[in-house]
Amino acid sequence: MCSGTLAIFSVLADLPVQMSITSAQDPPYFPGPFSINGQGWLQAPPQGLKGQAQKVFRLQILVTFGQNQSCGGMLMVKVLPAPSSSQVSFLEQEQNITVPEDVVPGTKVVQVQARGFDVRYEILSPVPCRLFSIGRADGVIRTAAPLELAPAAGSAVTALQVKAFERLRPWASVELNLTVTVRPVNRWPPRCVPALLMTQIPETAPVGTLLSTFTCVDPDCPGSTLDYQLRFHSTPGPASLCLNDRVLEVNATLDCDTRGDCFQHTASVLVLDGGQPRMTTEVPVLVMVTPVNEFSPVCVPRTFRVREDAGPCTLLGSVVGTDMDYPHDCIEYYTSGGAGTFAVDRLSGEVHLLGPLDYEQQKLYRLTVLVTDHSQDQDPTRHLSGSCTITIEVEDVNDHPPECEPPFQELTVHTSLGRSMEVTKVSCRVPQEPQRLAFSYGIIGGNSQSQFSLQGAVLVHDDLMLGPPWPEQPHTYELLIRVADAGPSTPHLSTTATVIVHLVPWRASTVATSTHRTTVPSVMTPLLVTDTEAFWQPAPWFVVVLTVTSALLLLALGWLLSRLLRGLAQVLPAPSKPAQALLLNSPSIQRTEGSIEGFMEAPRTETPQAPSSVMNLQHFDGSAQDSRTGREYLFNTRTGARRWL
């Protein structure tokens, strides 16, 4: 039997120990002395153990360690006969194994198998082996620790040297070299700073303005190159921003003066690593574009026309202001000038009339309208303004009736049979508006037999219209001539001139025709009397409530009065019949009754109207039309006397 070294055990390998054999090893039973080396291996005698089959050697072992500490034990060594034909060999040679790094400890990597009798396996190199272990009986190599490449430096490739030997003949062994390659697994996406980008930038920022720089690291492979991509999610599109390597910049003008989403840019930066499978990280990007008030508002000069009789709050028109900055309708309007006669609505720009207008005093107004923008800048105090001039033309309105000179005429006309003659000419004008000269004339009353006609302003008596028999007595005509302005201005106002004509018919003894004219001095001007009747029309519910309340009040008063009369009847004695007769026959009572009856009948009496005559008509110096009935009447401005026509 050949000599060799038998490894029996190793005790307290990490402590400084001393091991020795204390029992006797004298021949002839021992072929030579056994020994223990410094690593705790029991070594066979130098002469070997050939011929010592089936012998059992008892060895007393003493182990000394620490400070005078020791222990001992009996070791029995049995020598077995060597088989005649036994050789250990691996079924496969030189294997290369690849394993992913994300396997958990205890995962099977590979199983090695060797031929032999009762074969055992162990790892010879590296010693100690931290990452892998081998099953002593089955030869299965498993992971003993996590194989992550980042924390475990040098774990990418591991060269293993595996030994297979027979349990009863340790010297009968064979060795196998294995190469285990740890394949990296991409498990973690890149980590970026910042993880979310939110920033504000004015719309006037120039192209190339730096927004942010992204710093990303791949935890699976620090220092590896990453790929950056910019993706847009909002309407403005890729023209607004750009990504150069890791730097986000302004790519185009951000000026935003139209309706839409241009004030908000939403995008994301997609970061990809180079592992398998590829892991990505998405960094949301929100860029808010703040408005800048760049342009001043403007308005267009306009001209408005308004009638001089327009009432307060009349809408003349609107001033329209425009602004190139968004939003375009954030404009306020202010005025200067106009002396409080006009006002411009601050928000809508509508121009309203506030005070009265007079065409004769002022025909043209010029107002300066100031337009100011707001809410178009990040700074709420930043405003820009512009102005324009609007012209307001006052349209003339006929607000003065014509006045006739004289307003009242009385004439005596001697006529001839079959002839027409001019009686008088009505002269009228508008003192407040001398330029108004067009008038229309018409007889509206007193022309009972149609003996008179108007040729313009001339009153003409036409005898041709009369038929037989010819009147022999004088006749008086009270003619009412309506004079109205006929110009383009509205409304058309009118006045009434009174002409009393005493018509004396033709006689055979009459030699000549004469006309006697009596006029009223021009100082006496006619008065226009307007009777305005105001009435109140309450709501229906108010009438019902008032009626019910009045009825209840009358019932309450009646009940209270009845109670009061009953009380007085009980307290006061009834008067005797002679006293009642005396009271009724009293002169004072009779006079009172007579006065009451006279008062009640007084309104029924009417003053008899005196016959029409020239002397009575001389007391009236004006004429007017009643506003309610429409009847014409004459009046005296001094005495107030009236006469219906």
Side-chain angles (χ1 to χ4, degrees):
M1 184 176 184
C2 64
S3 61
T5 301
L6 178 61
I8 303 300
F9 64 91
S10 175
V11 181
L12 300 176
D14 296 333
L15 296 177
V17 297
Q18 293 182 359
M19 293 175 286
S20 60
I21 300 174
T22 59
S23 60
Q25 302 184 54
D26 297 335
Y29 190 76
F30 285 88
F34 290 86
S35 63
I36 299 175
N37 61 10
Q39 297 180 354
W41 292 93
L42 179 64
Q43 296 179 342
Q47 297 83 357
L49 295 176
K50 188 175 180 180
Q52 305 295 326
Q54 302 299 332
K55 283 188 176 182
V56 176
F57 299 95
R58 292 178 173 84
L59 302 175
Q60 189 71 30
I61 306 298
L62 177 63
V63 179
T64 303
F65 59 93
Q67 297 181 354
N68 299 323
Q69 296 182 7
S70 61
C71 63
M74 177 66 70
L75 177 63
M76 296 180 62
V77 179
K78 183 178 180 180
V79 182
L80 299 176
S84 57
S85 60
S86 178
Q87 185 176 2
V88 179
S89 63
F90 283 101
L91 299 180
E92 296 182 1
Q93 304 292 329
E94 300 291 336
Q95 297 186 34
N96 294 323
I97 302 100
T98 301
V99 60
E101 66 170 337
D102 58 347
V103 296
V104 297
T107 301
K108 176 180 177 181
V109 178
V110 68
Q111 182 178 10
V112 295
Q113 294 180 348
R115 298 185 183 91
F117 178 77
D118 196 7
V119 179
R120 297 292 183 265
Y121 304 91
E122 65 180 6
I123 296 177
L124 296 181
S125 177
V127 178
C129 185
R130 299 181 301 101
L131 300 179
F132 302 96
S133 63
I134 190 170
R136 187 173 180 83
D138 57 6
V140 176
I141 299 177
R142 300 178 184 274
T143 58
L147 302 181
E148 295 182 0
L149 297 177
S155 60
V157 178
T158 302
L160 295 178
Q161 187 176 15
V162 179
K163 175 183 177 182
F165 59 93
E166 293 182 355
R167 183 176 66 85
L168 299 180
R169 296 190 309 160
W171 57 87
S173 63
V174 65
E175 296 177 359
L176 175 65
N177 294 324
L178 299 176
T179 302
V180 180
T181 302
V182 179
R183 176 173 53 83
V185 177
N186 198 12
R187 293 183 298 167
W188 305 103
R191 297 176 182 177
C192 298
V193 176
L196 171 65
L197 177 60
M198 295 182 61
T199 183
Q200 288 185 350
I201 186 172
E203 64 173 332
T204 55
V207 176
T209 301
L210 175 65
L211 297 179
S212 179
T213 300
F214 297 93
T215 303
C216 301
V217 177
D218 187 2
D220 297 315
C221 186
S224 62
T225 302
L226 303 176
D227 184 20
Y228 297 83
Q229 298 178 5
L230 181 62
R231 295 184 178 181
F232 287 88
H233 307 299
S234 59
T235 304
S240 55
L241 306 175
C242 65
L243 186 66
N244 294 327
D245 193 10
R246 298 180 297 111
V247 179
L248 184 63
E249 299 177 348
V250 176
N251 186 48
T253 176
L254 301 178
D255 188 49
C256 187
D257 292 318
T258 58
R259 181 184 299 273
D261 301 330
C262 54
F263 284 107
Q264 178 175 313
H265 299 262
T266 56
S268 61
V269 176
L270 195 64
V271 184
L272 301 92
D273 59 13
Q276 292 296 331
R278 300 191 73 177
M279 304 294 289
T280 61
T281 296
E282 187 174 3
V283 180
V285 176
L286 178 60
V287 179
M288 303 296 296
V289 180
T290 58
V292 177
N293 196 357
E294 304 175 78
F295 306 99
S296 299
V298 296
C299 58
V300 180
R302 298 193 61 185
T303 300
F304 303 110
R305 291 179 175 84
V306 58
R307 293 166 52 95
E308 65 172 330
D309 60 347
C313 301
T314 300
L315 176 63
L316 307 184
S318 300
V319 180
V320 179
T322 58
D323 196 340
M324 296 178 62
D325 291 309
Y326 183 82
H328 307 291
D329 56 351
C330 292
I331 298 177
E332 294 182 353
Y333 302 85
Y334 303 93
T335 59
S336 61
T341 308
F342 305 94
V344 178
D345 188 270
R346 182 175 62 90
L347 299 179
S348 65
E350 295 180 347
V351 182
H352 294 270
L353 176 64
L354 297 183
L357 299 175
D358 193 342
Y359 176 82
E360 287 73 23
Q361 293 184 3
Q362 188 171 354
K363 303 178 182 179
L364 192 67
Y365 293 87
R366 297 187 185 276
L367 277 74
T368 300
V369 179
L370 181 68
V371 288
T372 304
D373 57 17
H374 63 88
S375 304
Q376 294 177 336
D377 196 277
Q378 185 73 7
D379 182 7
T381 62
R382 177 177 170 82
H383 305 285
L384 297 179
S385 60
S387 63
C388 62
T389 301
I390 61 174
T391 303
I392 301 176
E393 298 178 355
V394 181
E395 295 181 348
D396 187 19
V397 175
N398 190 12
D399 51 359
H400 299 286
E403 298 180 6
C404 296
E405 182 67 25
F408 178 84
Q409 300 183 44
E410 185 178 0
L411 307 99
T412 300
V413 178
H414 298 271
T415 63
S416 300
L417 181 61
R419 292 180 56 187
S420 298
M421 63 178 299
E422 177 180 339
V423 178
T424 185
K425 182 178 181 180
V426 182
S427 177
C428 301
R429 64 188 182 89
V430 181
Q432 296 83 357
E433 303 177 26
Q435 75 280 1
R436 197 181 304 276
L437 300 176
F439 301 102
S440 63
Y441 303 87
I443 301 175
I444 61 174
N447 193 10
S448 59
Q449 298 180 359
S450 302
Q451 295 193 27
F452 299 91
S453 62
L454 284 171
Q455 296 179 3
V458 178
L459 178 64
V460 178
H461 175 257
D462 191 358
D463 286 344
L464 298 177
M465 300 180 65
L466 293 177
W470 182 261
E472 298 180 356
Q473 298 297 327
H475 190 75
T476 300
Y477 294 90
E478 300 173 6
L479 302 177
L480 298 179
I481 300 177
R482 180 180 180 272
V483 182
D485 51 13
S489 301
T490 56
H492 295 284
L493 303 182
S494 64
T495 188
T496 303
T498 304
V499 179
I500 299 178
V501 180
H502 302 283
L503 189 61
V504 179
W506 173 86
R507 287 186 179 90
S509 60
T510 302
V511 178
T513 302
S514 63
T515 301
H516 176 70
R517 177 175 298 179
T518 301
T519 61
V520 178
S522 60
V523 178
M524 301 174 63
T525 58
L527 296 178
L528 180 62
V529 179
T530 302
D531 186 8
T532 302
E533 181 180 357
F535 65 94
W536 175 57
Q537 184 178 2
W541 66 267
F542 182 78
V543 176
V544 175
V545 173
L546 183 61
T547 303
V548 174
T549 305
S550 302
L552 295 178
L553 181 59
L554 291 176
L555 290 176
L557 291 177
W559 177 80
L560 183 62
L561 184 59
S562 65
R563 294 296 299 265
L564 182 60
L565 293 177
R566 289 179 183 176
L568 292 176
Q570 295 176 1
V571 174
L572 298 177
S576 61
K577 293 182 179 180
Q580 294 179 359
L582 181 61
L583 182 60
L584 294 174
N585 295 328
S586 174
S588 61
I589 298 301
Q590 293 177 359
R591 287 193 300 268
T592 304
E593 293 177 354
S595 62
I596 294 175
E597 293 175 358
F599 176 76
M600 296 300 293
E601 294 178 359
R604 302 176 185 175
T605 61
E606 295 181 359
T607 303
Q609 185 175 357
S612 175
S613 65
V614 176
M615 298 304 295
N616 291 335
L617 293 175
Q618 291 178 355
H619 295 287
F620 301 98
D621 55 4
S623 64
Q625 185 179 12
D626 185 66
S627 61
R628 292 195 304 173
T629 62
R631 294 182 58 189
E632 301 286 342
Y633 62 89
L634 302 179
F635 60 89
N636 192 308
T637 58
R638 296 179 180 177
T639 64
R642 298 183 182 182
R643 178 181 175 184
W644 294 100
L645 297 177

Short mmCIF file of all heavy atoms in Angstrom, two decimals, residues 97-100 103-113 132-133 138-143:
data_model
loop_
_atom_site.label_atom_id
_atom_site.label_comp_id
_atom_site.label_asym_id
_atom_site.label_seq_id
_atom_site.Cartn_x
_atom_site.Cartn_y
_atom_site.Cartn_z
N ILE A 97 -20.22 27.92 -17.01
CA ILE A 97 -21.61 28.12 -16.59
C ILE A 97 -21.87 29.62 -16.46
O ILE A 97 -21.04 30.36 -15.93
CB ILE A 97 -21.90 27.41 -15.24
CG1 ILE A 97 -21.60 25.90 -15.36
CG2 ILE A 97 -23.33 27.65 -14.80
CD1 ILE A 97 -20.30 25.50 -14.80
N THR A 98 -23.06 30.04 -16.93
CA THR A 98 -23.50 31.44 -16.80
C THR A 98 -24.75 31.46 -15.94
O THR A 98 -25.71 30.70 -16.19
CB THR A 98 -23.81 32.05 -18.17
OG1 THR A 98 -22.63 31.99 -18.98
CG2 THR A 98 -24.25 33.49 -18.04
N VAL A 99 -24.75 32.33 -14.96
CA VAL A 99 -25.86 32.43 -14.02
C VAL A 99 -26.25 33.91 -13.87
O VAL A 99 -25.38 34.78 -13.82
CB VAL A 99 -25.49 31.80 -12.66
CG1 VAL A 99 -24.28 32.50 -12.05
CG2 VAL A 99 -26.67 31.83 -11.71
N PRO A 100 -27.55 34.25 -13.82
CA PRO A 100 -27.94 35.65 -13.63
C PRO A 100 -27.65 36.12 -12.21
O PRO A 100 -27.64 35.33 -11.26
CB PRO A 100 -29.44 35.65 -13.93
CG PRO A 100 -29.89 34.26 -13.68
CD PRO A 100 -28.73 33.37 -14.02
N VAL A 103 -30.25 35.72 -8.83
CA VAL A 103 -30.65 34.49 -8.16
C VAL A 103 -30.45 34.63 -6.67
O VAL A 103 -29.57 35.37 -6.19
CB VAL A 103 -29.85 33.28 -8.71
CG1 VAL A 103 -30.16 33.06 -10.17
CG2 VAL A 103 -28.36 33.49 -8.50
N VAL A 104 -31.27 33.93 -5.93
CA VAL A 104 -31.20 34.00 -4.47
C VAL A 104 -30.19 32.97 -3.96
O VAL A 104 -29.88 31.99 -4.67
CB VAL A 104 -32.59 33.74 -3.86
CG1 VAL A 104 -33.56 34.83 -4.29
CG2 VAL A 104 -33.11 32.36 -4.26
N PRO A 105 -29.66 33.16 -2.77
CA PRO A 105 -28.74 32.16 -2.21
C PRO A 105 -29.42 30.79 -2.09
O PRO A 105 -30.59 30.69 -1.75
CB PRO A 105 -28.39 32.74 -0.84
CG PRO A 105 -28.58 34.21 -1.00
CD PRO A 105 -29.73 34.36 -1.92
N GLY A 106 -28.67 29.73 -2.42
CA GLY A 106 -29.19 28.37 -2.40
C GLY A 106 -29.68 27.89 -3.74
O GLY A 106 -30.13 26.74 -3.86
N THR A 107 -29.60 28.75 -4.76
CA THR A 107 -30.06 28.35 -6.09
C THR A 107 -29.03 27.40 -6.72
O THR A 107 -27.82 27.62 -6.64
CB THR A 107 -30.24 29.59 -6.98
OG1 THR A 107 -31.20 30.46 -6.38
CG2 THR A 107 -30.73 29.20 -8.37
N LYS A 108 -29.53 26.35 -7.35
CA LYS A 108 -28.65 25.38 -7.98
C LYS A 108 -28.00 25.99 -9.21
O LYS A 108 -28.67 26.54 -10.07
CB LYS A 108 -29.44 24.13 -8.37
CG LYS A 108 -28.62 23.08 -9.13
CD LYS A 108 -29.47 21.88 -9.49
CE LYS A 108 -28.68 20.86 -10.30
NZ LYS A 108 -29.51 19.68 -10.68
N VAL A 109 -26.69 25.83 -9.31
CA VAL A 109 -25.95 26.36 -10.46
C VAL A 109 -25.64 25.22 -11.44
O VAL A 109 -25.96 25.32 -12.63
CB VAL A 109 -24.65 27.05 -10.00
CG1 VAL A 109 -23.85 27.54 -11.21
CG2 VAL A 109 -24.97 28.20 -9.06
N VAL A 110 -25.06 24.13 -10.95
CA VAL A 110 -24.71 23.00 -11.79
C VAL A 110 -24.45 21.79 -10.88
O VAL A 110 -24.17 21.96 -9.67
CB VAL A 110 -23.47 23.31 -12.65
CG1 VAL A 110 -22.23 23.44 -11.80
CG2 VAL A 110 -23.30 22.25 -13.75
N GLN A 111 -24.52 20.61 -11.45
CA GLN A 111 -24.21 19.38 -10.70
C GLN A 111 -23.09 18.64 -11.42
O GLN A 111 -23.21 18.35 -12.61
CB GLN A 111 -25.45 18.49 -10.57
CG GLN A 111 -25.19 17.22 -9.75
CD GLN A 111 -26.44 16.37 -9.60
OE1 GLN A 111 -27.46 16.62 -10.25
NE2 GLN A 111 -26.38 15.37 -8.73
N VAL A 112 -22.02 18.37 -10.68
CA VAL A 112 -20.90 17.61 -11.24
C VAL A 112 -21.00 16.15 -10.76
O VAL A 112 -21.44 15.88 -9.64
CB VAL A 112 -19.54 18.22 -10.83
CG1 VAL A 112 -19.40 19.60 -11.43
CG2 VAL A 112 -19.40 18.30 -9.31
N GLN A 113 -20.63 15.25 -11.64
CA GLN A 113 -20.69 13.82 -11.33
C GLN A 113 -19.38 13.15 -11.70
O GLN A 113 -18.80 13.46 -12.74
CB GLN A 113 -21.85 13.15 -12.07
CG GLN A 113 -23.22 13.63 -11.64
CD GLN A 113 -24.34 12.95 -12.40
OE1 GLN A 113 -24.09 12.29 -13.41
NE2 GLN A 113 -25.57 13.10 -11.92
N PHE A 132 -20.12 30.32 -3.60
CA PHE A 132 -20.65 29.03 -4.02
C PHE A 132 -20.31 27.97 -2.98
O PHE A 132 -19.33 28.09 -2.22
CB PHE A 132 -20.09 28.62 -5.39
CG PHE A 132 -20.37 29.63 -6.48
CD1 PHE A 132 -19.41 30.58 -6.82
CD2 PHE A 132 -21.58 29.63 -7.15
CE1 PHE A 132 -19.66 31.50 -7.81
CE2 PHE A 132 -21.82 30.55 -8.15
CZ PHE A 132 -20.87 31.51 -8.48
N SER A 133 -21.13 26.91 -3.01
CA SER A 133 -20.89 25.73 -2.15
C SER A 133 -21.24 24.49 -2.97
O SER A 133 -21.96 24.58 -3.98
CB SER A 133 -21.74 25.79 -0.88
OG SER A 133 -23.12 25.75 -1.19
N ASP A 138 -23.76 14.77 -3.29
CA ASP A 138 -24.41 14.76 -4.61
C ASP A 138 -23.68 15.60 -5.64
O ASP A 138 -24.00 15.56 -6.83
CB ASP A 138 -25.86 15.23 -4.49
CG ASP A 138 -25.95 16.61 -3.86
OD1 ASP A 138 -24.91 17.26 -3.62
OD2 ASP A 138 -27.09 17.08 -3.58
N GLY A 139 -22.71 16.43 -5.26
CA GLY A 139 -21.94 17.22 -6.20
C GLY A 139 -22.70 18.40 -6.79
O GLY A 139 -22.30 18.93 -7.85
N VAL A 140 -23.79 18.85 -6.15
CA VAL A 140 -24.57 20.00 -6.65
C VAL A 140 -23.92 21.29 -6.15
O VAL A 140 -23.75 21.48 -4.93
CB VAL A 140 -26.03 19.90 -6.19
CG1 VAL A 140 -26.80 21.14 -6.64
CG2 VAL A 140 -26.67 18.63 -6.75
N ILE A 141 -23.58 22.15 -7.09
CA ILE A 141 -22.99 23.46 -6.74
C ILE A 141 -24.14 24.47 -6.65
O ILE A 141 -24.93 24.63 -7.59
CB ILE A 141 -21.95 23.90 -7.79
CG1 ILE A 141 -20.82 22.87 -7.85
CG2 ILE A 141 -21.43 25.29 -7.48
CD1 ILE A 141 -19.77 23.19 -8.91
N ARG A 142 -24.22 25.16 -5.51
CA ARG A 142 -25.27 26.15 -5.27
C ARG A 142 -24.64 27.49 -4.89
O ARG A 142 -23.48 27.55 -4.46
CB ARG A 142 -26.20 25.68 -4.13
CG ARG A 142 -26.89 24.35 -4.44
CD ARG A 142 -27.75 23.91 -3.26
NE ARG A 142 -28.35 22.62 -3.49
CZ ARG A 142 -29.51 22.44 -4.14
NH1 ARG A 142 -30.16 23.49 -4.61
NH2 ARG A 142 -29.99 21.23 -4.32
N THR A 143 -25.48 28.54 -5.05
CA THR A 143 -25.02 29.88 -4.63
C THR A 143 -25.09 29.97 -3.12
O THR A 143 -26.05 29.50 -2.49
CB THR A 143 -25.90 30.97 -5.26
OG1 THR A 143 -27.26 30.78 -4.87
CG2 THR A 143 -25.79 30.96 -6.78
#
